[in-house]
Amino acid sequence: LLSHADALGRDLDRLIGAYAHVNLCPLGAGALATTSFPINRKTTANLLGFSDVLENSLDAVGSRDFIVETQAALAILAVNLSRFAEDLIIWSSAEFGAIELPDEFTSTSSIMPQKKNPEVLEVIRARASYALGDYVAAMAAIKSLPTTYNLDFQEVTPKLWASTDNLKASLAIFAKLIPNIKVSPDVEGKAAAGFVGATELANMLVSKYGVAFRTSHKIVGAIVKTLIENKQTLLNAAPQMLQETAQEVAGIKITVKNEDIVSCTNPRKLIESYKVQGGPSPAEVERAITARKITLKKTKTTLNKLQESLIGAEKTLNQTVHDYSLSTTPKTQHLKI
């Protein structure tokens, strides 16, 4: 889940970065060459809540890269949400059984009464393609246009609206779905019944018994093959098996302690040992969550400042219009009849 949080965090950064280019005012560029009237473009930009003007008049009239930049960020976001949806679908499948999705986001199969279909996530996964299509369509529409305004632009902006509505809806669904996911209490047991500890078993032969990794990799690979052929799991690995396999495939003699093997096949101990930055150990995950919360708080502060800037600009604009209307209203005389 942290991996998806980090991907979405970069999506947010991309959108904030795109906002810097969206937040430039084209007003005053005229049809293509500004105007001979002595206007002040910075004043109108400030009154409308923009951070600055999109200076060159031809560029202001004829550029739509701020749209496709935003759409590019949205398209990447759509891909990330699609991958997130796919993970949730796989994790909730009968084969994995790692999580259970909330009933309100699923439906019963039309033919199989025991089946719980993740329909909402499937739709989100499919609609990600819309954002990709909208981005490509917008980019294709502007790729060969001459400088200044072309009516083709009116076909581009609706693509941005469609992508925005699409992604807002998908994110809103995720926001309601994720807190209500139930994690299977038997996830650890299912992991133990597989071969997730095979790599660590090879690592253990290197770190505790001085076996070269290439050799330990070969030994463990042979053990896994034997276990699978006998319909067993890594839990059935024993010191005797390890010793015989090492002699057979690598020609070396090693006597491995049973507790060393157990340490590699116990999922909880295995996870706790992966303490490197970015790893899955509980301590590292807690540290990462705390760090992400701090980053998210800073991002919210940034967004709040942008919102406050727009609200402040609107108030200033309304007050300016009000003051101007008072200063230009002719004084009327009241006549007694």
Side-chain angles (χ1 to χ4, degrees):
L1 288 176
L2 268 174
S3 73
H4 288 293
D6 285 358
L8 291 172
R10 291 192 298 274
D11 290 324
L12 187 53
D13 289 341
R14 275 185 282 268
L15 287 169
I16 292 174
Y19 184 81
H21 292 146
V22 173
N23 197 23
L24 298 174
C25 183
L27 188 64
L32 56 88
T34 69
T35 176
S36 59
F37 290 104
I39 63 172
N40 188 324
R41 294 185 64 195
K42 284 190 177 294
T43 297
T44 51
N46 290 334
L47 289 172
L48 293 173
F50 289 93
S51 62
D52 205 346
V53 298
L54 188 55
E55 189 175 58
N56 184 275
S57 61
L58 292 178
D59 183 44
V61 171
S63 64
R64 291 299 182 275
D65 56 320
F66 63 91
I67 287 183
V68 292
E69 181 182 0
T70 305
Q71 283 188 285
L74 292 175
I76 297 172
L77 170 59
V79 170
N80 286 335
L81 288 182
S82 176
R83 295 182 64 193
F84 195 1
E86 173 67 1
D87 276 350
L88 294 175
I89 291 170
I90 291 175
W91 297 344
S92 66
S93 67
E95 291 77 9
F96 283 74
I99 63 171
E100 181 183 352
L101 298 174
D103 290 343
E104 58 268 34
F105 295 94
T106 63
S107 69
T108 304
S109 167
S110 60
I111 190 172
M112 293 174 282
Q114 82 284 5
K115 194 166 184 289
K116 192 174 181 180
N117 289 332
E119 287 191 349
V120 173
L121 289 172
E122 291 173 348
V123 171
I124 288 176
R125 186 175 58 184
R127 288 189 178 178
S129 63
Y130 295 1
L132 297 179
D134 290 336
Y135 166 66
V136 172
M139 186 68 85
I142 66 174
K143 74 173 184 64
S144 298
L145 296 181
T147 304
T148 75
Y149 182 79
N150 299 272
L151 205 58
D152 308 56
F153 289 149
Q154 75 173 14
E155 300 299 317
V156 174
T157 308
K159 300 298 181 184
L160 175 62
W161 298 338
S163 295
T164 303
D165 292 342
N166 178 6
L167 271 301
K168 283 178 68 177
S170 295
L171 286 167
I173 290 171
F174 269 103
K176 293 179 181 178
L177 185 150
I178 298 301
N180 294 300
I181 286 177
K182 296 178 182 178
V183 179
S184 170
D186 194 34
V187 169
E188 191 174 328
K190 290 181 178 180
F195 292 92
V196 295
T199 299
E200 195 55 33
L201 187 59
N203 289 343
M204 181 271 293
L205 292 179
V206 174
S207 61
K208 291 194 174 184
Y209 295 91
V211 180
F213 184 78
R214 184 185 294 273
T215 303
S216 69
H217 186 286
K218 187 176 181 180
I219 294 170
V220 174
I223 289 174
V224 169
K225 184 175 183 294
T226 300
L227 290 171
I228 292 175
E229 289 173 349
N230 294 318
K231 299 188 181 332
Q232 295 176 320
T233 70
L234 209 58
L235 293 173
N236 300 107
Q240 183 67 23
M241 177 187 291
L242 209 63
Q243 183 176 337
E244 292 174 356
T245 304
Q247 181 67 49
E248 180 181 344
V249 304
I252 62 173
K253 293 182 179 181
I254 53 173
T255 303
V256 180
K257 296 178 181 178
N258 187 63
E259 56 263 31
D260 289 336
I261 297 176
V262 171
S263 68
C264 299
T265 56
N266 183 310
R268 185 167 294 277
K269 289 184 178 297
L270 186 64
I271 290 172
E272 287 175 351
S273 68
Y274 280 67
K275 300 176 182 179
V276 175
Q277 182 178 357
S281 75
E284 175 58 19
V285 169
E286 287 293 339
R287 183 206 64 78
I289 290 174
T290 300
R292 301 309 182 274
K293 285 182 177 179
I294 293 173
T295 300
L296 188 59
K297 187 175 180 180
K298 291 179 180 177
T299 303
K300 286 182 177 179
T301 300
T302 299
L303 295 176
N304 287 336
K305 287 181 179 178
L306 292 175
Q307 186 68 32
E308 289 170 3
S309 176
L310 292 174
I311 293 173
E314 185 175 12
K315 290 180 179 179
T316 302
L317 175 63
N318 291 335
Q319 186 62 49
T320 301
V321 171
H322 176 71
D323 294 345
Y324 181 76
S325 63
L326 289 179
S327 66
T328 57
T329 301
K331 296 179 179 179
T332 57
Q333 293 183 351
H334 297 280
L335 301 177
K336 293 182 179 180
I337 301 176

